[in-house]
Amino acid sequence: MHRIIGVYPGTFDPITCGHLDIISRASQVVDKLIIGVAHNANKSPLFSLEERVLMVKQDMEFLQKKSSMRSEVEVIPFNNLLIDFVIRNHAKVIIRGLRAVSDFEHEFQMASMNLRLNSQIETIFLMATDKYQFISSSMIKEVARFGGDISPFVSSHVMDKIKSIHQST
Ligand code: COA
């Protein structure tokens, strides 16, 4: 049987409930979802690649326990061109979440470039759910830095991880 494999790429610094929403919904449209955790040195992430991968894996265990995943899932770090990572993993589609109009231009550029690099790979966009329209990893880190409550936006172990960084600084 022909299985559709999708890649959901991101920096996940850290993974948020907004990402989890997209992941569980994406799992309804593909047979296998690969979460590609980008090294992304451009962004100078707060968490190391290993830490980000671990946080994503822990959140996936949680989603699977809640039976929110309809497909197989795998978490894989990458440090190369997204389209090469997609091909190497035999995927057919790239999944991206769209929050607000402000995401559109960047996403449009990335999707167009990726299509130009390989016309066999499509990008599929899922609209973020209302309650997660406004969150981003940076905003969550900033709220945490000033002692705000981030519990509605990240899982409990991600929250503990962020808190432990602020306690040690
Ligand atoms: N809920 C919450 N936040 C969301 C979200 C959602 N549904 N969707 C996106 N975001 C946020 C992220 O938290 C992140 O916030 P931050 O900027 O505050 O950290 C931001 O939106 C977008 O980040 P991310 O999803 O990590 O995407 P990106 O724009 O940084 O792109 C890659 C990351 C990995 C997809 C891209 O850099 C890439 O493909 N890299 C590989 C190299 C390559 O192929 N480059 C050419 C691409 S054409």
Side-chain angles (χ1 to χ4, degrees):
M1 199 178 72
H2 192 66
R3 294 191 334 140
I4 299 178
I5 303 176
V7 167
Y8 179 49
T11 312
F12 304 109
D13 185 44
I15 184 163
T16 70
C17 293
H19 295 125
L20 294 179
D21 166 52
I22 299 290
I23 290 168
S24 63
R25 287 165 50 211
S27 78
Q28 313 218 18
V29 290
V30 294
D31 300 298
K32 176 176 177 179
L33 185 65
I34 294 173
I35 304 179
V37 183
H39 179 260
N40 216 344
N42 296 342
K43 274 195 161 175
S44 310
L46 175 66
F47 295 103
S48 69
L49 182 61
E50 293 69 26
E51 288 173 315
R52 286 180 278 134
V53 166
L54 187 64
M55 286 188 278
V56 176
K57 283 186 173 168
Q58 286 172 326
D59 272 8
M60 288 312 101
E61 279 169 27
F62 175 72
L63 277 192
Q64 277 167 327
K65 273 190 200 136
K66 270 188 24 186
S67 305
S68 299
M69 291 300 290
R70 296 270 172 265
S71 69
E72 192 186 326
V73 65
E74 195 173 353
V75 183
I76 309 179
F78 74 103
N79 191 13
N80 53 337
L81 259 190
L82 173 61
I83 208 77
D84 291 340
F85 176 73
V86 169
I87 303 287
R88 188 174 315 145
N89 285 287
H90 312 288
K92 278 304 277 179
V93 291
I94 297 168
I95 312 267
R96 293 289 289 168
L98 270 186
R99 289 163 303 169
V101 182
S102 51
D103 277 347
F104 181 77
E105 199 173 333
H106 178 60
E107 294 298 335
F108 178 73
Q109 279 181 344
M110 282 206 303
S112 307
M113 176 56 83
N114 285 325
L115 194 63
R116 194 66 195 268
L117 293 172
N118 189 318
S119 60
Q120 305 296 305
I121 306 296
E122 290 292 343
T123 301
I124 295 179
F125 294 100
L126 299 180
M127 298 299 296
T129 309
D130 309 2
K131 61 180 176 176
Y132 301 130
Q133 280 283 341
F134 59 94
I135 66 172
S136 70
S137 302
S138 309
M139 199 176 280
I140 285 166
K141 285 180 282 190
E142 184 168 319
V143 171
R145 191 163 63 243
F146 291 110
D149 177 21
I150 56 166
S151 61
F153 312 121
V154 291
S155 61
S156 55
H157 62 263
V158 169
M159 189 166 73
D160 292 344
K161 187 92 186 143
I162 297 180
K163 277 188 182 160
S164 71
I165 285 198
H166 293 304
Q167 277 157 7
S168 64
T169 53

